[in-house]
């Protein structure tokens, strides 16, 4: 009898656990999958989780109807991070003290002088609502098979301080490059310093961006340059390539049901724990109509369910691959090579 009661107890406990894994939602007029996802998960981009769990009763994710009852699977708690955006622009404002007082009451402390001549104030103007910064896009790097992107290299580190000679260069230091006016180089030209990293199968090698230099003195065959941005120590022999400013997009991604699926093919850094802002590379590019700013859901399949693992926002798109930052992880560290990805958001829809 005790054994029988124990078995019944286990079965009841199991049933309660299984029931607790799901909620139910009755569709009302005006509902859509991303609104339902936003309500239950606080994230509209998790709509594929609900769609997959109710695929037998949803013919098209665009169309759901009042009275339909959907199961809402539980998902792990999400840990999110916002992509860094451009800082505000410092703008010089000129005017008399009286005019400035009218325009900026908060600047009174800077205008205690009684002079009526022009005063100069500085105000921070809000930047465009970019999805991410140029620096973030550059630092992500990319994968390419085209080794001809290297147009020269750092041929010498110019260290005026004797004790520092031979050490790696960084922001503000000067270097020499093995290209000059005979190669079309001019003063004020800008180039990217990089290094070749791991080969990723048939896709090519990872290009890891180390910094940006600006030509300050162009000779016929050699030129001097200053490092104006530095993301890693710069060494003699590091290749340089043309600087093509990253494409920036304005606005926030909104949910989309466009069919676009792929997988993660590489991680920029080898690390034990995947966290927000980790850089990943996927096997989709312009040949698959990927766009800058796209949001992909990282997931795995389990029976008839989608288990979300995190999200990626794309910052660089090449022909066959794209680079992106992980913007959220679903309370786990299971993100790895080969994980499936699915387009869930696009800027502009």
């Amino acid at each position: 009898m005790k054994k029988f009661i124990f078995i019944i107890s286990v079965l009841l406990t199991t049933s309660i656990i299984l029931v607790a894994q799901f909620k139910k939602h009755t569709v009302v007029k005006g509902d859509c999958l991303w609104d339902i996802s936003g309500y239950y998960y606080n994230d509209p981009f998790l709509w594929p989780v609900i769609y997959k769990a109710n695929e037998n009763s949803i013919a098209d994710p665009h169309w759901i109807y009042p009275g339909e009852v959907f199961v809402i699977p539980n998902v792990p708690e999400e840990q999110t991070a916002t992509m860094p955006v451009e800082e505000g622009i410092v703008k010089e404002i000129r005017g008399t003290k009286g005019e400035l007082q009218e325009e900026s009451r908060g600047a009174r402390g800077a205008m205690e002088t009684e002079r009526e001549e022009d005063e100069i104030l500085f105000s921070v103007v809000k930047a465009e609502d970019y999805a991410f910064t140029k620096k973030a896009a550059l630092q992500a790097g990319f994968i390419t098979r085209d080794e001809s992107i290297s147009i020269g290299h750092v041929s010498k580190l110019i260290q005026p301080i004797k004790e520092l000679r031979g050490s790696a260069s960084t922001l503000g230091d000067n270097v020499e490059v093995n290209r000059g006016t005979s190669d079309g180089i001019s003063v004020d030209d800008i180039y990217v310093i990089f290094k070749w990293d791991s080969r990723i199968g048939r896709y090519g090698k990872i290009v890891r961006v180390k910094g940006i230099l600006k030509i300050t003195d162009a000779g016929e065959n050699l030129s001097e340059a200053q490092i104006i941005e530095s993301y890693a120590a710069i060494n003699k022999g590091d290749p340089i390539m043309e600087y093509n400013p990253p494409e920036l997009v304005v606005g926030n991604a909104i949910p989309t049901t466009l069919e676009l699926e792929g997988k993660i093919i590489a991680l920029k850094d080898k690390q034990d724990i995947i966290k927000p802002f980790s850089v990943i590379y996927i096997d989709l590019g312009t040949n698959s109509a990927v766009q800058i700013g796209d949001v992909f859901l990282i997931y795995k399949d389990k029976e008839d369910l989608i288990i979300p693992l995190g999200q990626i926002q794309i910052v660089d798109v090449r022909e066959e691959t794209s680079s992106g930052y992980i913007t959220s992880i679903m309370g786990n560290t299971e993100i790895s090579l080969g994980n499936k990805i699915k387009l869930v958001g696009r800027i502009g829809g």
Side-chain angles (χ1 to χ4, degrees):
M1 175 63 74
K2 288 183 179 179
K3 184 177 180 181
F4 178 74
I5 293 173
F6 173 76
I7 292 172
I8 293 295
S9 175
V10 169
L11 290 173
L12 285 172
T13 302
T14 303
S15 298
I16 290 170
I17 291 172
L18 289 173
V19 169
Q21 289 179 344
F22 297 92
K23 300 181 181 70
K24 287 190 176 182
H25 175 85
T26 301
V27 177
V28 298
K29 186 177 180 180
D31 273 353
C32 61
L33 287 181
W34 29 96
D35 284 346
I36 297 171
S37 175
Y39 176 77
Y40 287 100
Y41 303 141
N42 198 33
D43 187 344
F45 297 130
L46 294 182
W47 66 263
V49 176
I50 299 172
Y51 173 60
K52 182 69 174 178
N54 299 275
E55 201 168 15
N56 290 337
S57 55
I58 302 176
D60 184 329
H62 279 108
W63 300 100
I64 58 176
Y65 302 95
E68 292 181 317
V69 179
F70 298 153
V71 294
I72 311 296
N74 283 350
V75 299
E77 185 177 347
E78 190 172 19
Q79 299 173 28
T80 62
T82 303
M83 290 286 288
V85 295
E86 298 288 358
E87 295 178 357
I89 302 167
V90 177
K91 178 181 178 182
E92 184 180 290
I93 302 175
R94 289 181 177 270
T96 65
K97 184 177 73 173
E99 292 170 339
L100 292 172
Q101 282 178 324
E102 288 299 315
E103 292 180 11
S104 180
R105 295 292 181 184
R108 282 180 183 165
M111 297 184 293
E112 292 179 352
T113 175
E114 293 299 322
R115 293 176 300 162
E116 285 297 323
E117 61 194 51
D118 273 7
E119 304 267 350
I120 299 176
L121 288 182
F122 290 92
S123 113
V124 175
V125 180
K126 188 179 183 301
E128 290 271 18
D129 189 17
Y130 292 119
F132 48 83
T133 66
K134 287 184 180 179
K135 186 178 290 187
L138 273 171
Q139 286 184 281
F142 56 92
I143 296 175
T144 184
R145 289 195 298 265
D146 183 9
E147 298 194 8
S148 69
I149 63 171
S150 175
I151 60 153
H153 64 266
V154 174
S155 53
K156 183 180 179 181
L157 305 180
I158 302 173
Q159 295 283 9
I161 301 174
K162 183 177 180 181
E163 288 74 17
L164 294 178
R165 288 174 190 168
S167 60
S169 294
T170 186
L171 183 65
D173 289 345
N174 291 330
V175 298
E176 179 187 84
V177 297
N178 69 333
R179 290 293 182 269
T181 55
S182 61
D183 304 295
I185 283 184
S186 303
V187 171
D188 291 337
D189 284 351
I190 294 176
Y191 295 93
V192 174
I193 311 163
F194 71 99
K195 77 173 222 179
W196 292 106
D197 212 330
S198 308
R199 176 170 290 280
I200 308 301
R202 66 178 181 83
Y203 301 103
K205 291 181 180 179
I206 294 175
V207 170
R208 186 181 290 266
V209 174
K210 301 181 77 172
I212 299 176
L213 59 77
K214 183 177 183 179
I215 302 297
T216 56
D217 185 12
E220 185 178 358
N221 299 304
L222 296 172
S223 298
E224 190 169 318
Q226 184 179 46
I227 299 169
I228 59 174
E229 287 194 32
S230 176
Y231 315 134
I234 292 159
N235 300 290
K236 180 179 177 180
D238 283 340
I240 62 172
M241 64 180 173
E242 299 283 351
Y243 173 66
N244 296 305
E247 179 186 348
L248 296 182
V249 289
V250 177
N252 298 311
I254 59 176
T256 180
T257 56
L258 292 173
E259 287 292 327
L260 192 53
E261 299 205 31
K263 65 181 179 181
I264 296 174
I265 58 172
L267 306 174
K268 179 183 175 184
D269 298 305
K270 296 178 176 64
Q271 48 195 350
D272 295 330
I273 299 176
I274 301 297
K275 54 186 181 297
F277 297 138
S278 295
V279 175
I280 59 85
Y281 306 103
I282 65 173
D283 66 343
L284 302 172
T286 55
N287 58 359
S288 302
V290 175
Q291 296 182 12
I292 300 288
D294 279 352
V295 174
F296 283 85
L297 179 69
I298 310 169
Y299 71 95
K300 64 180 180 181
D301 292 313
K302 185 176 181 181
E303 298 174 353
D304 292 328
L305 298 176
I306 280 180
I307 309 299
L309 302 177
Q311 289 175 18
I312 306 162
Q313 184 165 36
I314 300 302
V315 298
D316 185 282
V317 182
R318 304 286 155 159
E319 185 178 358
E320 294 183 287
T321 62
S322 298
S323 314
Y325 282 87
I326 291 178
T327 55
S328 73
I329 54 176
M330 307 301 296
N332 62 65
T333 58
E334 295 182 43
I335 297 171
S336 60
L337 299 183
N339 281 151
K340 295 179 179 180
I341 58 168
K342 180 181 180 66
L343 180 68
V344 291
R346 173 160 285 180
I347 292 177

